[in-house]
Amino acid sequence: MTAQDRTGKALVKSSSPAGGRRTAPLRRSDIPRAGTAVRRAPGPGAVLGAVLDHGPVARSTVARLTGLSPAAVSGHSATLLGRGLLREERETTGPRGLGRPHVPVDIDTDRYLVAGAHVAVAHSTLSLLDLRGRVVAEDRRQHGSTDPATVLAGLAGRLPGLLDARGAGRRVLALGAATGHWVDPEAGVVVRHPQLGWRDVAMRDVLADATGLPVHVDSHSRALARAEQLVGQAATRESAVLLFVGAVVDAAFVTAGAVHQGPRFGAGSVAHLPVGTATAAGACVCGTSGCLQSEVSEPAMVRRATAEGLRVPTFPALLERALEGDRLALSLFLRRARHVGRAAAVLLDMFDPEVLVVVEPGAGRLPGCLDALRSEVGDRSWVCDDPERSVVPSSFTGSVLATAGAAVALGALYDDPLGPWPALPAVS
Ligand SMILES: [Zn+2]
């Protein structure tokens, strides 16, 4: 049956995930050159990326950083200034007034914002970020219902109020939307999210119709990997694995500077990696037991806490108890860290990334959890000999979900700043 919204428009659209999108064989010329980093892509995107990293910065320095000619940097800077994405800072001179004065450029954070929508199993988060990826506003609500039309209409309906209250007169360029499991960014569809009961939900079209904004969607793990590349840890630029541990457990991979999607956009399904022992307590929806998700997901943590006599209604309540120093709650997070460490060791051996980013509140906030996770990696990985350097917590601990949705829009903007962004002046 096709879900319908109030106007009768179909909410679902087939993305034919297994239908073979690629009709012609892959040719050598189709393959991007290895080692092509995001920031080394020529053109305005490279200039904007260099200013994001180093601004306020002189155009001559941008030329040195990007390998572009000074004339090309001047041209691209003028275009980006014209679009309101860059601004000029006050003129400066060299030490003691020597040298030619120059006017540095920086990202203009005063004119535009990107909005974010993240749909979790129990709640949804609406957010506003400035063009440096800083969270300006965040609004989280529990789901009354997980019906896709209700959830998406709720998110869209809250945006004007949040913008009025916290936007400080800035305009929204685009809305990014993210959720767990399997998302097809090309079709703009949530292909499958078993815990929400969503299948082939046309998230992009529904949100675009409801908000009038350009909408970009992706999986939250890929979105957070892109956010790390843009405004998080520079070590993620070339190669990285991001492991997301929440109510949903999934992953994303960065290779040769790009976040890998896979021809069906299903890359990163690590929920059923075997990390536990076969016990009734570790029974998984897949029919086996001891899977990563059935051992460490938020519902599994709450079930385990209850079984051990700690009465907590929700995962945030369990985390709060651990932060307050409750020994049983803390021990459950340490156990979680060791199980996540086992999965991290497998992923480090499989991909040998520059860095593995763990998105998990224990590793980010609780004493001993990151050490326990790294220690498990040290014991189990055949490839990683320096877990201190190779395994790091998320740059966005405390604002992960606010960052995830908006990062999809921010990534699209930095990939293509001259694209058709309706809020921006046309490129002259
Ligand atoms: Zn399983």
Side-chain angles (χ1 to χ4, degrees):
M1 201 174 77
T2 302
Q4 305 252 314
D5 72 4
R6 275 178 309 217
T7 62
K9 186 180 168 62
L11 287 173
V12 299
K13 185 161 83 177
S14 171
S15 66
S16 56
R21 178 171 286 103
R22 184 167 281 130
T23 50
L26 189 68
R27 295 163 303 175
R28 181 164 291 273
S29 59
D30 294 333
I31 302 170
R33 193 162 54 84
T36 307
V38 173
R39 291 298 160 76
R40 286 189 224 118
V47 172
L48 197 61
V51 177
L52 179 65
D53 283 348
H54 300 278
V57 62
R59 291 171 180 79
S60 55
T61 309
V62 173
R64 188 164 48 74
L65 288 164
T66 57
L68 293 167
S69 71
V73 170
S74 283
H76 295 319
S77 299
T79 305
L80 295 166
L81 285 161
R83 294 215 104 183
L85 299 173
L86 292 184
R87 67 180 170 216
E88 288 186 319
E89 300 290 308
R90 266 209 316 244
E91 184 176 287
T92 61
T93 52
R96 298 185 303 280
L98 299 173
R100 259 175 47 201
H102 66 259
V103 181
V105 289
D106 202 353
I107 302 293
D108 192 338
T109 51
D110 293 336
R111 294 194 204 196
Y112 301 108
L113 298 167
V114 290
H118 180 271
V119 183
V121 174
H123 49 76
S124 62
T125 304
L126 190 69
S127 62
L128 298 171
L129 267 61
D130 73 14
L131 299 191
R132 283 199 163 277
R134 295 175 296 212
V135 177
V136 169
E138 176 173 359
D139 172 28
R140 182 165 305 160
R141 307 272 175 96
Q142 296 291 311
H143 296 313
S145 145
T146 55
D147 167 59
T150 308
V151 171
L152 297 179
L155 282 161
R158 282 148 54 196
L159 183 56
L162 191 65
L163 191 59
D164 281 350
R166 305 287 302 280
R170 288 171 282 188
R171 279 188 77 183
V172 171
L173 281 180
L175 170 66
T179 189
H181 290 289
W182 188 352
V183 179
D184 177 343
E186 235 174 65
V189 166
V190 181
V191 179
R192 199 178 297 162
H193 193 310
Q195 284 137 298
L196 284 172
W198 287 18
R199 209 180 162 90
D200 294 333
V201 173
M203 181 149 74
R204 180 178 62 207
D205 291 353
V206 172
L207 288 172
D209 283 353
T211 62
L213 290 168
V215 177
H216 301 266
V217 310
D218 209 341
S219 85
H220 59 200
S221 287
R222 287 197 291 261
L224 287 165
R226 189 75 184 95
E228 290 286 356
Q229 287 188 303
L230 280 172
V231 292
Q233 300 168 65
T236 61
R237 296 267 168 88
E238 280 295 325
S239 73
V241 171
L242 182 134
L243 182 53
F244 183 99
V245 182
V248 169
V249 179
D250 50 24
F253 313 102
V254 174
T255 56
V259 181
H260 178 70
Q261 296 183 320
R264 285 162 292 275
F265 308 101
S269 303
V270 297
H272 304 286
L273 273 183
V275 294
T277 44
T279 61
C284 183
V285 289
C286 72
T288 61
S289 65
C291 295
L292 180 60
Q293 183 166 279
S294 62
E295 291 288 339
V296 304
S297 73
E298 291 176 2
M301 290 284 284
V302 173
R303 274 198 302 275
R304 193 169 287 273
T306 307
E308 298 197 12
L310 186 63
R311 294 204 171 276
V312 281
T314 60
F315 179 82
L318 177 61
L319 178 61
E320 203 51 48
R321 293 289 287 270
L323 287 166
E324 288 163 6
D326 183 287
R327 289 179 64 162
L328 179 53
L330 195 52
S331 76
L332 290 169
F333 277 94
L334 287 166
R335 178 186 181 279
R336 186 192 219 196
R338 290 191 295 273
H339 279 79
V340 173
R342 293 178 194 178
V346 171
L347 295 170
L348 285 160
D349 287 356
M350 206 178 277
F351 291 96
D352 187 20
E354 186 69 30
V355 68
L356 182 142
V357 180
V358 180
V359 185
E360 193 274 323
R365 299 174 69 186
L366 288 170
C369 282
L370 187 58
D371 288 345
L373 199 163
R374 285 173 167 160
S375 164
E376 197 74 16
V377 166
D379 289 348
R380 289 176 179 261
S381 171
W382 292 87
V383 170
C384 171
D385 57 6
D386 188 1
E388 295 281 322
R389 191 187 59 79
S390 304
V391 180
V392 295
S394 166
S395 302
F396 311 105
T397 299
S399 60
V400 163
L401 303 184
T403 302
V408 187
L410 206 60
L413 176 69
Y414 279 90
D415 286 347
D416 187 17
L418 301 195
W421 300 92
L424 296 181
V427 178
S428 51

